[in-house]
Structures are given as structure tokens and as C-alpha cells.
Amino acid sequence: MKLAKRARVQAQWCERLGSPLYADLIARAADDIAAEGPLHALLMDPSAHPLKDLPMLRLMGSAHRLALTGRAPELASSYAAGDADAAWQALLALARDRPDDLRERLNAPVQTNEVMRCGPLAAGFLFVARETGLPLRLLEVGASAGLNMRFDLYRYETGRGAWGPPESPVRLTGFWKDGDPPYDGDVAVIERRGCDVEPVDPCTEEGRITLLTYVWPDQRDRVANLRGALALAPGVPAPVERAGGVEWVERELAALPAGAATVVFHSIVMPYLPHEEQQAFAAALTHAGERATADAPLAWLSMEHGGEECELRLTLWPGGEQRLLASCGFHGRNVVWVA
Ligand SMILES: C[S@@+](CC[C@H](N)C(=O)[O-])C[C@H]1O[C@@H](n2cnc3c(N)ncnc32)[C@H](O)[C@@H]1O
């Protein structure tokens, strides 16, 4: 059975990415699907698009949203207590007794903005600031809610030095594995703008709920950092335009202003672009890079799939040589700095 098999693979990924609760619930869901229980009936309905992207994360998100909005109090309290047995009973009861409530959001895209990715990204921004000696103009592609453009509002603690405002409600700790952290010196950010095909507004209740919906509830540090970043967002504008990455960078890179380093960056976005668009995207950057000067440099900072999970790569023009800065996990943990 295809869906049960996909559910088991998803459960393994949740385990690997540090959510024993979702690993457990999704593994039980796989058994229920295989046994043609209530979750089978819910998910095999064609309206649930069982074979489209990430069916189990859409299901868990749909249930989590009910918990976050007060419509599934048993599920909410079991999540708060970290009680997997109670959470499973609550999820099963929702599927059996209130399938229409679960279906409301079952087809919504899994939309995240992972603040923990700022661990490696911030190291990359500091590296660019140090190499160019200039303030940064940030242009983020696939920015979601734009929370990672506000990286300088967050605190980074590596065990070998710290950076960022000590009082920040966003504290990234325990993410640095090896290599000398480049967290020193100052960085001035003079512009923050992004694009996304499905932007989320972090300054609205709807946007905040959407982002919290897809964070796995037993990952307390992710939830706390997301809530902290959402609290800071209204104070520092970082608008995200509804646009596809290729057309947007082509337009935004038409001019490279002097006196600043223009930094185009993205994290876990390339898998969503068809191959031809990835090539057009790289070509747009390369063409713009040919116009870069020491006073108007262009940096392309990419945190995408590579190595065991992710790689942080930097291409800096003039010059245009690509460098591997670090390897890291999908959520920004286990950073091994190699630059
Ligand atoms: C996995 S999320 C990553 C979001 C954010 N970069 C982060 O690291 O938290 C991928 C994002 O890429 C966006 N996306 C997908 N295709 C896109 C495209 N062609 N142009 C711009 N954004 C795109 C999605 O809407 C989504 O917000």
C-alpha cells in the first residue's frame, strides 16, 4: 500500500530530524492506513490528494491547526504534555468523528519558515560582510515569511563565542558542531526584501498560525524561536513580494547599487524549481555578477541539499568563484564550518 509506505518513510525522517512525537504518531498512522482504519478513510478520499506532496505532514498540520486554534483541546493538551498515547487517541477521534474538520486544511501547502537555518546563514552573511567590508542589501528568494532576513535580531551561541543581542527572544544554541565560528565583527543591513510564490505575512494572526501549524510540537526550541521571531517581525520590515524566484532576481539585479554588497540568498528552495528554472536562476546571477565591482559586489549564498543533508555555498563577484562554507542539517543544526 503506497500511502502506508510513504507514511513509514515520513516517520523515519521525523525521527532523524528530532521529533520522536511525530515519528511515533505517523508510524501509528501508517499502521492504521494499512489496516484500513479511520485515517485510511480520511486520506484515501480523492479530495485529500493522497499521492500529492507530503500527505502525512499535511495531515499532521491540519490537526495541529485545530489544536492551535482551540478546536481540538484534547490534542492541544496532549501535545503540551508530550503524551504520545493521548495524542494518538485524540488524532484518531478527530479522523473518526470530525473528518470534515480535518479536511478543511488537508490540501493547504506545508508552509514553513525555519528560523534555525539562520545559524549557518548568519555565519555566511558575516563572512560576506567581512570579505567586502560593506553593508548588506539582502534579497531572499523563497523567503516564506521573511523571518531569516532579520537574522541580526537573533542571538547565536556556539560554545566558542556568541553573537547577536543577548536579550533576543530568539536563541540559537547547540547548532555548531565543528570549525571556527565566524561570529564576530559587525554587520549593517541596509535593505531586506524577498519573494515567494506563497508568501506568509508574519504580522497577521493568520500568518502566525500558518507558520506554527507546520512546526512539530515536541520541538520546543523550534517553537520558541519561531514565536520569538514572530514577536520581533513587526519592528523590522522585510517585505516579501508574491513572485517566482527567476523573474524576481532578473528584475532585482538589473542594477547593483554602489556602497553595498547585494546578497541574494535562499534556503531549501531549489527542490521546488524545475530544472530549467534552476538553470535560468543561476544564469541571472552569473550575468549580474559580470557587472559587479569591488564597490558594488554581488554575493550568492545558497543553503541547499548537498553532502549528507545540506551545504552552505557562496559565490562572490567580482571573481565569481564558488566556495563551500559549511555543511549542516536541513534545519540548520550540526554546522561544520569549512571556509
Ligand atoms: C521549504 S520552504 C523554505 C522557506 C525558507 N527559505 C526557509 O528556509 O525557512 C520553500 C519555500 O520556497 C517557496 N517557493 C517554491 N517555489 C518557488 C519559486 N519558484 N519562487 C519563489 N519561491 C518559491 C515556497 O513557497 C516556500 O515558501
Side-chain angles (χ1 to χ4, degrees):
M1 142 84 58
K2 232 174 179 173
L3 188 59
K5 199 169 160 195
R6 283 179 77 179
R8 288 190 213 291
V9 172
Q10 183 64 62
Q12 284 162 8
W13 271 108
C14 289
E15 186 71 51
R16 179 166 170 182
L17 294 174
S19 176
L21 177 68
Y22 266 26
D24 183 341
L25 293 178
I26 294 174
R28 295 193 209 204
D31 292 343
D32 181 83
I33 293 164
E36 304 201 354
L39 286 167
H40 179 268
L42 176 84
L43 291 170
M44 289 315 286
D45 186 309
S47 71
H49 297 291
L51 300 180
K52 243 179 58 181
D53 290 346
L54 304 171
M56 301 317 292
L57 294 186
R58 284 188 282 122
L59 167 72
M60 299 309 288
S62 192
H64 194 197
R65 189 182 173 99
L66 294 175
L68 287 166
T69 53
R71 294 172 63 198
E74 292 80 12
L75 188 62
S77 56
S78 65
Y79 280 171
D83 184 338
D85 289 331
W88 171 245
Q89 291 309 325
L91 183 64
L92 206 56
L94 283 173
R96 192 180 50 228
D97 306 332
R98 295 165 55 196
D100 289 344
D101 290 0
L102 278 177
R103 280 200 187 99
E104 277 172 22
R105 295 279 175 162
L106 209 47
N107 292 328
V110 174
Q111 184 58 294
T112 54
N113 198 179
E114 184 49 69
V115 175
M116 306 275 287
R117 291 190 185 126
C118 281
L121 288 172
F125 297 137
L126 283 160
F127 189 83
V128 174
R130 194 194 298 164
E131 292 256 306
T132 62
L134 291 169
L136 307 184
R137 288 178 69 220
L138 300 182
L139 300 176
E140 183 177 8
V141 173
S144 183
L147 299 178
N148 293 349
M149 285 189 274
R150 296 161 167 105
F151 77 95
D152 50 334
L153 308 183
Y154 312 153
R155 177 79 172 167
Y156 302 85
E157 294 181 354
T158 65
R160 294 193 230 167
W163 189 84
E167 73 287 356
S168 176
V170 180
R171 298 180 80 77
L172 276 67
T173 58
F175 65 95
W176 199 266
K177 193 168 165 194
D178 206 5
D180 287 335
Y183 291 105
D184 49 24
D186 283 333
V187 59
V189 180
I190 56 169
E191 199 175 328
R192 313 168 199 256
R193 286 187 300 111
C195 77
D196 199 288
V197 286
E198 289 286 344
V200 178
D201 185 346
C203 301
T204 63
E205 187 56 15
E206 173 58 30
R208 284 189 282 270
I209 294 286
T210 297
L211 293 176
L212 287 164
T213 289
Y214 296 107
V215 178
W216 306 342
D218 58 334
Q219 297 196 315
R220 311 272 187 222
D221 55 344
R222 279 179 80 197
V223 176
N225 281 330
L226 175 58
R227 287 190 185 277
L230 290 171
L232 292 172
V236 177
V240 180
E241 185 181 330
R242 185 180 293 276
V246 177
E247 69 196 70
W248 190 76
V249 288
E250 282 171 350
R251 192 186 74 208
E252 292 298 326
L253 296 180
L256 296 174
T262 297
V263 185
V264 173
F265 76 101
H266 48 86
S267 51
I268 319 294
V269 177
M270 285 303 131
Y272 298 86
L273 268 60
H275 183 64
E276 320 77 72
E277 281 190 38
Q278 291 186 29
Q279 287 185 318
F281 183 76
L285 276 140
T286 306
H287 287 145
E290 285 160 7
R291 288 183 275 108
T293 63
D295 193 37
L298 173 65
W300 176 11
L301 186 66
S302 156
M303 179 186 160
E304 297 289 347
H305 292 201
E308 281 192 23
E309 288 189 19
C310 276
E311 289 175 341
L312 183 73
R313 291 184 172 270
L314 173 70
T315 311
L316 191 57
W317 290 273
E321 181 201 349
Q322 191 196 80
R323 276 175 283 187
L324 175 67
L325 297 186
S327 63
C328 58
F330 291 126
H331 290 160
R333 293 193 175 91
N334 294 322
V335 177
V336 177
W337 188 255
V338 296

